[in-house]
Amino acid sequence: MLKVGLTGGIGAGKSEVSRLLVTSGAVLIDADKIAREVVEPGTPGLAKVVEAFGREVLAPDGTLDRPRLGSIVFADPEKLAVLNSIVHPLVGARSAELEGAASEDAVVVHDVPLLAENGLAPLYDLVVVVDARPETQLDRLVRLRGMSEEDARARMAAQATRVKRLEIADIVIDNDGPLEGLEQRVAAVWADLTRRARAA
């Protein structure tokens, strides 16, 4: 099994790279998706979040109001740390469970947005960073996701710097250009990963 950590700044295109790797045959463990699962209604995770931040972080239907929580934690590093201390251990436990279910010869890709921020690089055989210039990230967040420029800049500022992410990269996928070129670059990376998995 080859354990790959995949990361990239918000708006860099990491989700698209994940999708292309899965299409190629990777086993994907998506930390963001798991992070949503562990705070679904009725979970201990949601109960702890409500205990820490109050009932105002709940939507009327009892689900987590993610935009509301995001506006609280992304403006305050201490509150973000509290949220992470609740969610990260739950995500780690579920990720380990999913990894244990993968076949021995699998390329297991852990899609982890905060890999650099949380010093997780040593957990993986190698780290793949999806990279784009900050101007490109900002443009995508405003134009494609409908964020205000202020909100987009705050989200970007809450993450590791581009330099810090590139420092931990074993493989960098440049995603500043159009999608067609990205598909070719990901195919080349997939060929490299499968070769490494066989060698391992």
Side-chain angles (χ1 to χ4, degrees):
M1 181 185 294
L2 187 72
K3 291 192 281 187
V4 179
L6 175 70
T7 196
I10 187 170
K14 179 178 55 57
S15 298
E16 186 59 25
V17 170
S18 281
R19 189 187 68 74
L20 292 168
L21 288 170
V22 168
T23 302
S24 301
V27 173
L28 180 67
I29 298 177
D30 183 337
D32 260 358
K33 186 177 172 201
I34 296 169
R36 286 191 290 274
E37 288 172 4
V38 298
V39 291
E40 283 177 352
T43 59
L46 183 60
K48 287 180 181 173
V49 170
V50 171
E51 190 181 319
F53 296 99
R55 297 197 65 80
E56 69 266 22
V57 299
L58 290 178
D61 65 358
T63 59
L64 185 62
D65 184 340
R66 302 182 77 80
R68 173 92 183 101
L69 181 61
S71 69
I72 294 168
V73 300
F74 286 114
D76 185 333
E78 285 182 15
K79 287 180 178 167
L80 182 59
V82 169
L83 179 64
N84 289 342
S85 74
I86 295 167
V87 175
H88 288 170
L90 298 170
V91 172
R94 179 66 179 139
S95 297
E97 203 178 296
L98 292 169
E99 186 182 281
S103 65
E104 285 182 18
D105 60 349
V107 174
V108 178
V109 175
H110 289 262
D111 181 333
V112 185
L114 301 180
L115 194 152
E117 291 81 347
N118 294 322
L120 302 177
L123 298 179
Y124 308 104
D125 297 318
L126 59 103
V127 172
V128 176
V129 171
V130 183
D131 183 54
R133 291 174 302 130
E135 310 87 86
T136 303
Q137 292 175 256
L138 185 64
D139 172 64
R140 287 174 180 160
L141 294 174
V142 172
R143 193 167 46 84
L144 303 177
R145 295 202 200 173
M147 286 187 187
S148 68
E149 187 170 326
E150 185 185 11
D151 191 21
R153 287 187 186 280
R155 295 294 178 103
M156 289 168 64
Q159 294 189 329
T161 62
R162 185 183 187 191
V163 170
K164 187 173 178 185
R165 271 192 301 274
L166 292 174
E167 279 174 359
I168 62 165
D170 297 294
I171 297 172
V172 177
I173 297 176
D174 173 24
N175 190 27
D176 247 350
L179 196 57
E180 302 75 47
L182 178 65
E183 289 173 358
Q184 292 171 348
R185 288 189 290 280
V186 173
V189 168
W190 176 250
D192 183 21
L193 295 178
T194 51
R195 187 175 45 78
R196 291 176 191 241
R198 283 196 298 271

